[in-house]
Amino acid sequence: MSAGIGIYLAPNRAGHYVVTSVVPGGSAAASGQVRIGDVVVHLAGRPTEGVGLEEIRRSILGPPGSQLDLTVRRMENGRAILIPMNLPRGPAARDLSPSPMQHRAQGMPRGFQPAQGVQGGGRSAPPIGRPFGQQG
């Protein structure tokens, strides 16, 4: 069984993967380090630029309890900063998908829905696995 860290990603127009949701109960949420809008620039020591969605997904997934090294880029005070993190992959969970109310609490506009499929020239993408990156 594989597990992830409890985030959803979607590619932006520049082809980078942006955190669109942090799943409550996941290690990303528990750490308090990952924020919506963070751009994932490194996973497991490798750059993410130009990497396909399926490879990103495989990099995130791993045995529950194993560690994932990632680096995000975040804008703070008008400057881009890089933030390295080491997060444990969480245990498999049934369904920890954020509700619309949780999305609004995380700053997303009313009516926001996580990307459900690659459409319209890559403007949206499927979540990276199920919450926590579960695999059945």
Side-chain angles (χ1 to χ4, degrees):
M1 181 178 294
S2 294
I5 58 170
I7 60 173
Y8 286 99
L9 301 172
N12 64 12
R13 291 177 192 218
H16 298 105
Y17 291 93
V18 179
V19 176
T20 59
S21 185
V22 178
V23 180
S27 63
S31 75
Q33 297 180 77
V34 181
R35 298 181 189 166
I36 292 174
D38 284 350
V39 177
V40 178
V41 295
H42 285 93
L43 279 172
R46 297 189 320 248
T48 59
E49 188 172 8
V51 175
L53 185 62
E54 186 57 32
E55 189 173 339
I56 295 291
R57 183 178 171 278
R58 283 192 306 265
S59 295
I60 290 174
L61 294 175
S66 63
Q67 298 291 308
L68 175 65
D69 290 319
L70 70 151
T71 302
V72 300
R73 183 178 63 230
R74 179 180 301 155
M75 294 301 291
E76 286 195 4
N77 299 320
R79 293 184 23 206
I81 60 170
L82 296 178
I83 304 169
M85 302 176 194
N86 181 274
L87 300 173
R89 291 176 174 99
R94 286 209 165 96
D95 183 12
L96 298 175
S97 299
S99 71
M101 287 188 70
Q102 289 166 326
H103 280 225
R104 285 194 299 279
Q106 293 176 350
M108 301 310 290
R110 180 179 287 284
F112 170 81
Q113 292 294 318
Q116 295 298 314
V118 177
Q119 304 170 11
R123 286 181 295 215
S124 63
I128 302 298
R130 287 174 238 149
F132 272 107
Q134 299 172 49
Q135 263 181 238

